[in-house]
């Protein structure tokens, strides 16, 4: 079954927008990670889409998400890991211990990812690939 991705566009706000912003950073397109889909985020998405041969509409949607996603696993570092760690604080606020927002996929991040995969009934493999990212980016719409 094909994954369905949420559309993020100008005027949107929240965790999913933050994830777009972190992932843009993982592709060397730095925008403030403020959770607000403003002109800078839309411009960076258009730039990303142009670079990857996608229609440059400035929206993160069905065709953009799968290209924007950066798979991460134990040992990974950077903005995509930071996104997962930040999402853990929003999606699982009572989980202890809280993950450090350090951009390093260490043992605690691995444990949380496996916990989250179990909660959403995804394959529990510790890798944040397309399916786990799909759950993360759709989670704040479900709450």
């Amino acid at each position: 079954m094909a994954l369905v991705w949420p559309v993020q566009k100008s005027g949107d706000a929240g965790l999913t927008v933050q994830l777009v912003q972190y992932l843009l950073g993982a592709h060397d397109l730095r925008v403030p990670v403020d959770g607000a889909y403003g002109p800078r985020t839309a411009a960076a998405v258009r730039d990303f889409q142009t670079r990857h041969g996608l229609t440059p509409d400035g929206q993160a949607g069905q065709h953009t998400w799968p290209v924007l996603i950066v798979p991460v696993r134990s040992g990974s570092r950077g903005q995509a890991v930071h996104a997962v760690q930040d999402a853990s604080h929003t999606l699982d606020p009572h989980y202890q211990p809280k993950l450090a927002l350090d951009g390093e996929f260490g043992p605690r991040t691995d444990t949380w990812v496996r916990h989250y995969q179990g909660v959403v009934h995804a394959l529990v493999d510790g890798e944040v690939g397309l399916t786990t990212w799909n759950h993360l980016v759709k989670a704040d719409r479900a709450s």
Side-chain angles (χ1 to χ4, degrees), residues 3 5 65-66 69-73 84 105 113 117 122-123 125-137:
L3 297 174
W5 298 89
W65 277 111
I69 293 302
V70 175
V72 293
R73 65 192 60 80
V84 171
F105 200 124
V113 166
Q117 289 171 326
L123 174 65
D125 62 2
E127 178 177 334
V128 185
L130 282 176
T131 300
T132 301
W133 273 113
N134 187 260
H135 284 285
L136 290 170
V137 303

Side-chain angles (χ1 to χ4, degrees), residues 6-25:
V7 174
Q8 294 295 283
K9 60 190 178 313
S10 291
D12 288 346
L15 172 63
T16 306
V17 174
Q18 285 179 283
L19 297 177
V20 170
Q21 293 166 332
Y22 278 121
L23 290 167
L24 288 167

Side-chain angles (χ1 to χ4, degrees), residues 5-65:
W5 298 89
V7 174
Q8 294 295 283
K9 60 190 178 313
S10 291
D12 288 346
L15 172 63
T16 306
V17 174
Q18 285 179 283
L19 297 177
V20 170
Q21 293 166 332
Y22 278 121
L23 290 167
L24 288 167
H27 289 278
D28 296 321
L29 293 163
R30 303 277 181 204
V31 294
V33 179
D34 59 8
Y37 206 115
R40 289 178 66 184
T41 299
V45 169
R46 278 191 299 277
D47 188 8
F48 175 83
Q49 291 168 324
T50 299
R51 290 180 187 187
H52 293 276
L54 302 168
T55 302
D57 62 6
Q59 298 181 15
Q62 191 64 25
H63 300 289
T64 301
W65 277 111

Side-chain angles (χ1 to χ4, degrees), residues 101-123:
L101 301 177
D102 59 9
E104 296 186 19
F105 200 124
R108 286 186 176 170
T109 301
D110 183 73
T111 298
W112 182 82
V113 166
R114 290 172 188 277
H115 160 78
Y116 183 74
Q117 289 171 326
V119 167
V120 298
H121 307 290
L123 174 65

